[in-house]
Amino acid sequence: MIGQAGGVEERYELVGLDVEREIGITARFADGHVATFTVGELRLACPCATCRDLRDRGKTPWPLPNGPTTLAISDARFHGAWGVNFTWNDGHSTGIYPFETLRRWSEGDQRR
Ligand SMILES: [Zn+2]
């Protein structure tokens, strides 16, 4: 076949992101794949070093003591062309979620 369009990259190319602050996100990929995540799923799988360390020690990154009891996304910003950074209503904002990771999670890879 000549001129294969996209190929592997399309799987990890984000073409749309809907954020419902207290519910979750819907990510649309260039090859048509749609992935949805709840805010809880995203926060518990936060890829930042702090949250990774907590998980490695058998703790959960959320909820935090004295933090809000309802989780919500306060802000969402694209990070370069490859990821999205969420600021959470508990002030946590160091996690950058690569589109490739979101895609892999949606296809069943372990969330870590
Ligand atoms: Zn984190």
Side-chain angles (χ1 to χ4, degrees):
M1 188 158 123
I2 298 169
Q4 276 184 311
V8 171
E9 291 77 15
E10 279 200 343
R11 292 170 47 75
Y12 304 128
E13 184 187 332
L14 202 76
V15 293
L17 183 71
D18 294 332
V19 177
E20 292 182 89
R21 293 175 189 277
E22 295 180 2
I23 299 169
I25 65 166
T26 301
R28 291 174 223 289
F29 292 85
D31 65 348
H33 183 82
V34 177
T36 60
F37 302 98
T38 65
V39 287
E41 287 176 322
L42 289 171
R43 184 69 176 84
L44 289 175
C46 178
C48 85
T50 302
C51 294
R52 277 180 193 274
D53 183 57
L54 285 170
R55 289 195 298 271
D56 285 346
R57 289 186 284 128
K59 298 179 179 177
T60 54
W62 189 87
L64 299 172
N66 306 317
T69 53
T70 302
L71 184 64
I73 294 169
S74 299
D75 195 16
R77 292 170 188 270
F78 287 118
H79 185 88
W82 57 270
V84 58
N85 168 238
F86 297 113
T87 299
W88 299 93
N89 61 336
D90 62 0
H92 191 67
S93 65
T94 43
I96 297 164
Y97 297 69
F99 304 146
E100 180 174 342
T101 299
L102 295 175
R103 175 68 184 243
R104 289 183 193 280
W105 285 347
S106 82
E107 292 179 337
D109 274 18
Q110 197 183 7
R111 280 172 198 170
R112 10 182 341 151

